[in-house]
Amino acid sequence: MPNDRMNFARHRRVTMEDVGRMAGVSQVTVSRALSDPSKVSPKTLEKIREAIEVTGFVRNAVAGALASRKSRLVSALVPSITNVVYSSMIRALSERLRTHGYQILLSETGFSQADEEEAILAHLSRQPDAIILTGIHHSMQARRRLLGAGIPVLELWDTTDTPIDLCVGFDHAGAARAAAGFALERGYRKAATVTASDERARRRRAAFADRFAAGAVPDFDVCGPASIVAGREGLARLLDSHDLAGGIVYCSSDIIAHGVLIEAQSRGIAVPGDLAVMGFGDQDFARHLEPSLTSVRIDLEHLGQTAANTILDRIEGRNIAAPVTALNFEIIDRASV
Amino acid sequence: MPNDRMNFARHRRVTMEDVGRMAGVSQVTVSRALSDPSKVSPKTLEKIREAIEVTGFVRNAVAGALASRKSRLVSALVPSITNVVYSSMIRALSERLRTHGYQILLSETGFSQADEEEAILAHLSRQPDAIILTGIHHSMQARRRLLGAGIPVLELWDTTDTPIDLCVGFDHAGAARAAAGFALERGYRKAATVTASDERARRRRAAFADRFAAGAVPDFDVCGPASIVAGREGLARLLDSHDLAGGIVYCSSDIIAHGVLIEAQSRGIAVPGDLAVMGFGDQDFARHLEPSLTSVRIDLEHLGQTAANTILDRIEGRNIAAPVTALNFEIIDRASV
DNA sequence: TTGTATGCGTTATCAA
DNA sequence: TTGATAACGCATACAA
């Protein structure tokens, strides 16, 4: 296809005006036919349908949004789109919202507040009908802008008593304490942790250590996102300086636990005989590892759906029972502990 | 925060008009100050900056898009947003586009053409400046709409001689043939495959089998997306009916290969002693498995960046050297073969 | 350097 | 059931 075949600059869009002309009605009638067909007679409806078919008309949602002050766009900001924890939530969320005619404008914020501020501004300029943020820590500037936008704001993944507006998440510290309690109950008295560079992960690690042995738990911070190699290195470094025999390693995510498992295997350390391993998140693969991984189950689908429902309730003016929803977690007892 | 505190319905937006009034200039001058500050005197620039600060003005990109007929929005459709293969490409793509002021409107199409058609329509209604699709198989209806939109269209991930407009991808069949050649060179004469339900994956599997032994290669189709459990089951089922000793298993993705590795380990099958395993994609974790996984490297970052550059060239009216770009792949020789 | 007038393609409000 | 008219908030062309 030659380059000059497409001339994008001078492209005449088909408008409702055009459709109306062809169908012998006014532009307004076309608009009505699309948004509320019951207000248009069957005969003209058919003529309009035909004209749309022939012209290949596609409604201009930009003009519609400007006129109605409703964009049917919900923006969502996540730290990372390649992290399946976030993308699973977003998938559930967007699927639910799509059935109600909303599209998602998704951006990655990295883990920095400056990036988030910039992303928030870019998103707000698109006039979304609501905005979803990951986590509960946002700069004052960001909060001000969010409040100023006058749209529903939902903080996802975490919980707080002082949400900007709405909040759907779970109690990270509580989940980690539960994990520690589980380990203690199983008789473990020695523990170590491998933690990714994520504020929530660090908070969980702190809660785990606190509950387990008032903080006397060595930690390896992977200084980066969770990965298998991070888990392998974590265990390797911990073993350099500590005797973990008969203990348990609590990991900030299943993927890190997976790395720990691989490192243990390559060193001939029996799991759970010599060392127990616990993950977090209970991703699909956790139950299919060898040994299968004990983990803390978070229902990401449910989180995403609940967030979508909450947002929809707000947008469509229904009453919100409580602005903050804390979802449950569950310890999944498998072979690695 | 009580429910009635936020009244979203009656919210007065701050406009350029307001900013101008406060700064003692007209709306147009505010517009200019934002889009081309060099055309406004430093003194008024400062007054406008201040007024923006005070009012918390956020520019309305919807109105801007309507007026200028440029949305600075690029839409992207991928089969799955939780699949790291696609999300990695999109991350690279959107990062590059963002530096040029473009945002990405991302949607999941599932693997069905009907879903894709619907998604295309929804996206086109937002008046994107370009649209990116995954793969090269699209319904006639979809192609018609795309052409009718009069914007650049880029097909990503695959290659073809007959693109709708632009295309950036790699030769799937060629990559699979190279993998088969590699296995043959290593002396393997027996092979089996485990394949995910993805059109490209099936095409690669066919090319592998064809090159390896003119098709005499047993296959397990996992009937679903790639996952560790799919790989485990794949190997298990293949072993039920075939003697694979001394052979090689070619998997449609690293994640499936990972499952095959785990199943082999749990059965006491030595890799590569009793059975060799080969993945596809060379994801991060491939080198850190035990044994490390031989795979076919696809540079997803590069794919995403190249797509972004191609789109930018088109949008900004530069000449495109060739509408189709085929990127390279590379066999990564590790311990599992 | 700044301002006026006009249009972008819809929806909302009336009136017929 | 239909249509005329006026927003919506900004960018562009042109004038001053």
Side-chain angles (χ1 to χ4, degrees), chain A residues 14-87:
Chain A
V14 178
T15 69
M16 288 184 175
E17 193 72 50
D18 301 325
V19 173
R21 197 173 305 123
M22 168 165 281
V25 295
S26 75
Q27 173 269 136
V28 211
T29 305
V30 177
S31 174
R32 260 193 296 257
L34 290 171
S35 48
D36 188 356
S38 73
K39 295 189 144 185
V40 175
S41 83
K43 241 184 7 208
T44 51
L45 214 51
E46 175 55 23
K47 278 188 293 190
I48 289 173
R49 202 202 50 68
E50 203 166 278
I52 287 178
E53 178 76 31
V54 172
T55 55
F57 168 77
V58 177
R59 150 200 234 132
N60 185 331
V62 172
L66 181 61
S68 68
R69 302 168 133 270
K70 270 180 246 131
S71 62
R72 299 198 81 82
L73 210 56
V74 170
S75 53
L77 302 179
V78 295
S80 157
I81 61 172
T82 54
N83 186 326
V84 74
V85 167
Y86 301 122
S87 58

Side-chain angles (χ1 to χ4, degrees), chain A residues 25-315:
Chain A
V25 295
S26 75
Q27 173 269 136
V28 211
T29 305
V30 177
S31 174
R32 260 193 296 257
L34 290 171
S35 48
D36 188 356
S38 73
K39 295 189 144 185
V40 175
S41 83
K43 241 184 7 208
T44 51
L45 214 51
E46 175 55 23
K47 278 188 293 190
I48 289 173
R49 202 202 50 68
E50 203 166 278
I52 287 178
E53 178 76 31
V54 172
T55 55
F57 168 77
V58 177
R59 150 200 234 132
N60 185 331
V62 172
L66 181 61
S68 68
R69 302 168 133 270
K70 270 180 246 131
S71 62
R72 299 198 81 82
L73 210 56
V74 170
S75 53
L77 302 179
V78 295
S80 157
I81 61 172
T82 54
N83 186 326
V84 74
V85 167
Y86 301 122
S87 58
S88 297
M89 286 195 300
I90 295 302
R91 211 185 39 60
L93 180 97
S94 54
E95 195 149 315
R96 181 111 186 72
L97 286 179
R98 188 180 41 195
T99 65
H100 287 248
Y102 290 88
Q103 276 179 279
I104 300 285
L105 190 64
L106 181 65
S107 285
E108 206 173 35
T109 57
F111 286 89
S112 102
Q113 290 206 339
D115 286 354
E116 193 183 62
E117 260 181 42
E118 196 181 336
I120 286 173
L121 197 61
H123 277 237
L124 289 182
S125 75
R126 300 282 174 189
Q127 313 297 121
D129 291 341
I131 184 166
I132 296 172
L133 308 174
T134 308
I136 53 172
H137 297 288
H138 314 288
S139 69
M140 273 318 292
Q141 170 78 317
R143 299 174 75 98
R144 234 196 318 269
R145 279 205 198 295
L146 259 6
L147 254 7
I151 55 173
V153 177
L154 188 142
E155 292 166 280
L156 187 58
W157 187 233
D158 230 328
T159 51
T160 173
D161 293 331
T162 56
I164 297 176
D165 178 20
L166 303 167
C167 181
V168 171
F170 68 93
D171 177 4
H172 289 248
R177 277 193 299 271
F182 178 82
L184 287 168
E185 213 167 78
R186 284 301 166 91
Y188 293 96
R189 289 297 171 265
K190 210 191 292 181
T193 58
V194 182
T195 314
S197 297
D198 172 298
E199 196 270 325
R200 262 80 55 185
R202 292 217 183 89
R203 202 134 39 82
R204 292 195 299 266
R205 127 85 199 161
F208 178 93
D210 200 56
R211 169 90 166 79
F212 193 88
V217 173
D219 176 53
F220 178 81
D221 186 323
V222 308
C223 296
S227 67
I228 285 182
V229 61
R232 290 195 69 162
E233 197 198 342
L235 180 59
R237 292 290 80 76
L238 284 169
L239 290 172
D240 283 349
S241 47
H242 298 273
D243 171 24
L244 264 37
I248 183 169
V249 178
Y250 169 77
C251 306
S252 71
S253 70
D254 286 354
I255 193 89
I256 286 184
H258 189 1
V260 168
L261 245 31
I262 290 174
E263 185 66 20
Q265 178 204 333
S266 88
R267 289 173 177 245
I269 297 172
V271 175
D274 302 331
L275 184 70
V277 178
M278 198 162 174
F280 190 92
D282 190 34
Q283 289 178 37
D284 310 354
F285 64 82
R287 74 175 65 209
H288 302 293
L289 298 181
E290 279 291 332
S292 62
L293 182 66
T294 292
S295 189
V296 181
R297 176 156 173 65
I298 307 298
D299 191 337
L300 300 171
E301 295 271 314
H302 193 198
L303 271 176
Q305 282 167 3
T306 305
N309 289 337
T310 308
I311 284 285
L312 285 170
D313 282 348
R314 240 313 144 67
I315 289 179

Side-chain angles (χ1 to χ4, degrees), chain A residues 1-9 11-13 53 56-63 65-66 69-73 80-84 87-88 90-91 94-95 98 101-109 118-119 121-128 141 145 147-153 161 163-166 227-229 232 258 262-263 265-266 284-285 287-290 314 319-323, chain B residues 1-9 11-13 53 56-63 65-66 69-73 80-84 87-88 90-91 94-95 98 101-109 118-119 121-128 141 145 147-153 163-166 227-229 232 258 262-263 265-266 284-285 287-291 314 319-323:
Chain A
M1 179 174 301
N3 273 335
D4 53 14
R5 170 163 154 200
M6 297 203 148
N7 190 336
F8 302 116
H11 187 83
R12 175 78 168 75
R13 282 163 160 97
E53 178 76 31
F57 168 77
V58 177
R59 150 200 234 132
N60 185 331
V62 172
L66 181 61
R69 302 168 133 270
K70 270 180 246 131
S71 62
R72 299 198 81 82
L73 210 56
S80 157
I81 61 172
T82 54
N83 186 326
V84 74
S87 58
S88 297
I90 295 302
R91 211 185 39 60
S94 54
E95 195 149 315
R98 188 180 41 195
Y102 290 88
Q103 276 179 279
I104 300 285
L105 190 64
L106 181 65
S107 285
E108 206 173 35
T109 57
E118 196 181 336
L121 197 61
H123 277 237
L124 289 182
S125 75
R126 300 282 174 189
Q127 313 297 121
Q141 170 78 317
R145 279 205 198 295
L147 254 7
I151 55 173
V153 177
D161 293 331
I164 297 176
D165 178 20
L166 303 167
S227 67
I228 285 182
V229 61
R232 290 195 69 162
H258 189 1
I262 290 174
E263 185 66 20
Q265 178 204 333
S266 88
D284 310 354
F285 64 82
R287 74 175 65 209
H288 302 293
L289 298 181
E290 279 291 332
R314 240 313 144 67
N319 231 38
I320 303 279
Chain B
M1 179 176 298
N3 272 336
D4 54 14
R5 170 162 153 203
M6 297 205 150
N7 191 335
F8 301 115
H11 188 80
R12 176 77 168 75
R13 282 162 158 98
E53 177 75 31
F57 168 77
V58 177
R59 144 199 239 139
N60 184 333
V62 171
L66 182 61
R69 302 167 134 270
K70 268 180 248 130
S71 62
R72 300 197 80 82
L73 210 56
S80 157
I81 61 172
T82 54
N83 186 327
V84 74
S87 58
S88 295
I90 295 301
R91 210 184 39 61
S94 54
E95 196 148 314
R98 189 179 42 193
Y102 290 87
Q103 276 181 278
I104 299 285
L105 190 64
L106 182 66
S107 284
E108 206 173 36
T109 58
E118 196 181 336
L121 198 61
H123 277 236
L124 289 183
S125 76
R126 300 281 176 190
Q127 314 297 120
Q141 171 78 317
R145 278 205 198 294
L147 254 5
I151 54 173
V153 177
I164 297 177
D165 177 22
L166 302 168
S227 67
I228 286 182
V229 61
R232 289 195 70 162
H258 189 2
I262 290 175
E263 185 65 21
Q265 177 203 333
S266 89
D284 311 353
F285 63 84
R287 75 175 64 209
H288 302 293
L289 298 181
E290 278 291 331
R314 238 314 143 64
N319 229 38
I320 304 278

Side-chain angles (χ1 to χ4, degrees), chain B residues 6-275:
Chain B
M6 297 205 150
N7 191 335
F8 301 115
R10 46 167 85 248
H11 188 80
R12 176 77 168 75
R13 282 162 158 98
V14 178
T15 69
M16 288 186 176
E17 193 72 48
D18 301 325
V19 173
R21 198 173 303 123
M22 169 164 283
V25 296
S26 75
Q27 172 261 319
V28 215
T29 306
V30 178
S31 174
R32 264 193 292 256
L34 290 171
S35 46
D36 189 356
S38 74
K39 296 191 146 186
V40 176
S41 83
K43 239 180 15 200
T44 50
L45 214 52
E46 174 55 23
K47 279 189 293 190
I48 289 172
R49 203 202 49 69
E50 203 167 279
I52 287 178
E53 177 75 31
V54 172
T55 55
F57 168 77
V58 177
R59 144 199 239 139
N60 184 333
V62 171
L66 182 61
S68 68
R69 302 167 134 270
K70 268 180 248 130
S71 62
R72 300 197 80 82
L73 210 56
V74 170
S75 52
L77 302 178
V78 295
S80 157
I81 61 172
T82 54
N83 186 327
V84 74
V85 167
Y86 301 122
S87 58
S88 295
M89 287 196 299
I90 295 301
R91 210 184 39 61
L93 180 97
S94 54
E95 196 148 314
R96 181 109 188 74
L97 287 179
R98 189 179 42 193
T99 66
H100 287 248
Y102 290 87
Q103 276 181 278
I104 299 285
L105 190 64
L106 182 66
S107 284
E108 206 173 36
T109 58
F111 287 89
S112 102
Q113 290 207 340
D115 285 355
E116 194 184 60
E117 259 181 44
E118 196 181 336
I120 286 173
L121 198 61
H123 277 236
L124 289 183
S125 76
R126 300 281 176 190
Q127 314 297 120
D129 291 340
I131 183 166
I132 296 172
L133 307 175
T134 308
I136 53 171
H137 297 288
H138 313 287
S139 69
M140 273 319 292
Q141 171 78 317
R143 300 174 75 97
R144 232 194 321 268
R145 278 205 198 294
L146 257 8
L147 254 5
I151 54 173
V153 177
L154 187 143
E155 294 167 278
L156 186 58
W157 186 234
D158 231 326
T159 51
T160 173
D161 293 331
T162 55
I164 297 177
D165 177 22
L166 302 168
C167 181
V168 172
F170 67 94
D171 177 5
H172 289 250
R177 277 193 299 271
F182 178 83
L184 287 169
E185 210 167 81
R186 285 301 167 92
Y188 292 98
R189 290 295 171 267
K190 208 190 292 181
T193 58
V194 183
T195 314
S197 298
D198 172 298
E199 196 271 324
R200 261 81 53 187
R202 292 216 184 89
R203 204 136 37 83
R204 292 196 299 266
R205 127 86 200 161
F208 178 93
D210 200 54
R211 168 89 166 80
F212 194 88
V217 173
D219 176 54
F220 179 81
D221 186 323
V222 307
C223 296
S227 67
I228 286 182
V229 61
R232 289 195 70 162
E233 199 197 341
L235 180 59
R237 291 292 81 75
L238 284 170
L239 290 172
D240 284 349
S241 45
H242 298 273
D243 172 21
L244 264 37
I248 184 168
V249 178
Y250 169 78
C251 306
S252 71
S253 71
D254 287 354
I255 193 88
I256 286 184
H258 189 2
V260 168
L261 245 30
I262 290 175
E263 185 65 21
Q265 177 203 333
S266 89
R267 288 173 178 245
I269 296 173
V271 176
D274 301 331
L275 185 70

